[in-house]
């Protein structure tokens, strides 16, 4: 894809990069600890197909929690909102993304929303397909269509690394299974979930997917309606209320755009009807969001009045 380097954007990247020293690369998934903490790149993909970038936008990273929005879109398309929201709620938690506490204290077994790990695991457990490889194949096809890039695939090393270590996610799965929230085998769900989180792309691909959401599910290049409008709207709303984990409220006030982050340091954002943004900056703040990515969005939002509110 043709994406032009932009000096103004580079200036903001240089400024935002200064905060990377205060952040830390995720290490609870061992393979992610190998990422370099001082990286920062951004791509902005406009609805007319033009694209601006700064930093090394060719660098690939895994989606991690950003995949939760894409899996949600697919599962909502497969089952419809009524069925999906029977098993997962629509409310923010105010807790860290991997917290287990409200599974017991609120609506036992039913996670509060699909952007926290518990809720995302339920969504993943609902994905259609008779085998694990068929399911990840369907999700990959969907993600490739969203990015209009056939070469997107799963990083086996990161998937394997998370699969070997993800005991809290397993614990949540067993707890929810006990409460009848899903019937699937926990190891099958974990296999699919860790592969889903390990889908790998660069910030250009991510910006383009953001742009599909900015256009209510319509692809900016192909014109194809890949996600029905009402489902794109649900996904964007979750991005605003829960997309940045338990920093979503502050993010909405300071930056004010739908966005979803992942612990690899990716952030996908969008400004409705204007553009999608893809950011990669692996050093994270204490809530698990890209520290320089947030700073960069703050600078962009201030300078270009991006807030939708
Ligand atoms: N795969 C990660 C996990 O389940 C995703 C979390 C995230 O990006 N916040 O822990």
């Amino acid at each position: 894809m043709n994406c032009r380097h932009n000096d103004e954007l580079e200036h903001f990247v240089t400024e935002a990069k200064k905060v990377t020293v205060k952040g830390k690369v995720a290490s609870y998934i061992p393979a992610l600890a190998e990422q370099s903490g001082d990286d920062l790149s951004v791509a902005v993909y406009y609805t007319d197909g033009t694209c601006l970038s700064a930093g090394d936008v060719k660098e690939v990273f895994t989606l991690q929690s950003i995949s939760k929005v894409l899996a949600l879109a697919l599962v909502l398309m497969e089952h419809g909102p009524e069925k999906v929201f029977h098993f997962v709620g629509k409310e923010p938690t105010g807790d860290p993304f991997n917290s287990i506490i409200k599974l017991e204290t609120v609506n036992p077994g039913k996670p509060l929303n699909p952007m926290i790990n518990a809720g995302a695991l339920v969504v993943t457990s609902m994905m259609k397909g008779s085998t694990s490889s068929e399911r990840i194949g369907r999700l990959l096809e969907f993600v490739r269509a969203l990015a209009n890039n056939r070469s997107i695939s799963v990083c086996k090393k990161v998937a394997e690394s998370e699969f070997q270590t993800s005991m809290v996610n397993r614990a949540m799965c067993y707890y929810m299974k006990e409460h009848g929230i899903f019937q699937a085998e926990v190891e099958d769900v974990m296999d699919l979930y860790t592969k889903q989180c390990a889908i790998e792309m660069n910030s250009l691909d991510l910006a383009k997917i953001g742009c599909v959401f900015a256009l209510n599910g319509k692809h900016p290049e192909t014109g194809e309606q890949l996600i029905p409008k009402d489902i794109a709207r649900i996904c964007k709303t979750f991005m605003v209320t829960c997309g940045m984990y338990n920093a979503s409220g502050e993010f909405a006030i300071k930056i004010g755009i739908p966005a979803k982050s992942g612990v690899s340091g990716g952030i996908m954002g969008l400004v409705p009807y204007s553009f999608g943004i893809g950011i990669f900056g692996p050093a994270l703040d204490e809530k698990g969001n890209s520290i320089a990515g947030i700073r960069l969005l703050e600078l962009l939002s201030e300078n270009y009045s991006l807030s939708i509110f």
Side-chain angles (χ1 to χ4, degrees):
M1 186 214 310
N2 217 354
C3 196
R4 267 183 305 121
H5 176 270
N6 181 268
D7 289 341
E8 205 168 307
L9 218 43
E10 191 70 54
H11 161 77
F12 290 121
V13 164
T14 309
E15 183 58 30
K17 251 191 180 185
K18 292 180 185 161
V19 301
T20 54
V21 288
K22 295 194 213 145
K24 263 204 189 116
V25 168
S27 56
Y28 76 99
I29 298 173
L32 292 184
E34 294 166 19
Q35 300 186 115
S36 149
D38 47 13
D39 285 351
L40 183 63
S41 65
V42 59
V44 181
Y45 194 91
Y46 292 88
T47 51
D48 67 0
T50 53
C51 178
L52 300 177
S53 71
D56 181 9
V57 282
K58 294 276 152 59
E59 204 171 337
V60 292
F61 53 92
T62 56
L63 288 179
Q64 298 304 328
S65 280
I66 302 170
S67 70
K68 291 170 178 171
V69 193
L70 312 183
L72 176 67
L74 180 64
V75 168
L76 283 169
M77 282 155 66
E78 289 176 343
H79 296 281
E82 202 182 331
K83 182 164 175 197
V84 174
F85 294 123
H86 180 73
F87 296 105
V88 60
K90 298 175 188 148
E91 303 305 330
T93 66
D95 298 321
F97 64 86
N98 55 357
S99 174
I100 200 163
I101 190 159
K102 290 208 170 90
L103 268 187
E104 189 176 22
T105 57
V106 187
N107 269 336
K110 179 174 169 176
L112 275 165
N113 71 69
M115 299 294 115
I116 49 171
N117 284 11
L121 287 159
V122 172
V123 169
T124 298
S125 79
M126 296 179 80
M127 221 171 273
K128 280 195 176 162
S130 44
T131 60
S132 189
S133 68
E134 193 186 322
R135 291 186 193 102
I136 190 67
R138 278 172 67 84
L139 179 64
L140 260 181
E141 278 310 302
F142 179 57
V143 175
R144 286 172 180 156
L146 290 171
N148 199 15
N149 179 355
R150 304 284 319 153
S151 67
I152 287 172
S153 60
V154 171
C155 173
K156 291 204 176 77
K157 185 176 169 187
V158 172
E160 187 61 24
S161 176
E162 184 174 18
F163 186 80
Q164 300 296 349
T165 51
S166 203
M167 298 309 153
V168 176
N169 284 339
R170 279 186 174 79
M172 291 195 274
C173 282
Y174 280 111
Y175 191 83
M176 293 189 288
K177 195 169 152 108
E178 168 78 21
H179 286 275
I181 295 291
F182 66 77
Q183 272 73 46
E185 288 303 322
V186 170
E187 289 306 298
D188 290 348
V189 176
M190 286 305 302
D191 176 59
L192 182 55
Y193 175 76
T194 49
K195 285 179 178 148
Q196 162 195 318
C197 288
I199 293 175
E200 200 173 39
M201 63 179 66
N202 62 32
S203 27
L204 302 179
D205 297 312
L206 198 57
K208 208 187 274 187
I209 299 179
C211 194
V212 175
F213 284 101
L215 286 174
N216 292 324
K218 197 173 175 163
H219 201 283
E221 285 173 318
T222 64
E224 204 182 330
Q225 190 75 37
L226 293 170
I227 305 169
K229 205 173 166 180
D230 58 328
I231 291 179
R233 184 180 56 80
I234 294 172
C235 294
K236 279 186 287 184
T237 313
F238 275 125
M239 286 165 78
V240 169
T241 56
C242 320
M244 306 302 282
Y245 318 124
N246 46 334
S248 299
E250 194 182 351
F251 186 88
I253 289 171
K254 277 199 183 154
I255 294 154
I257 63 168
K260 182 74 203 87
S261 64
V263 287
S264 55
I267 303 178
M268 175 177 82
L270 63 107
V271 173
Y273 306 106
S274 295
F275 55 80
I277 308 180
I279 292 179
F280 175 54
L284 307 179
D285 61 19
E286 72 288 351
K287 301 222 166 131
N289 292 314
S290 168
I291 192 163
I294 295 220
R295 179 74 192 118
L296 178 61
L297 285 171
E298 243 170 54
L299 292 167
L300 296 177
S301 185
E302 268 166 34
N303 278 277
Y304 303 111
S305 305
L306 300 184
S307 177
I308 62 169
F309 299 108

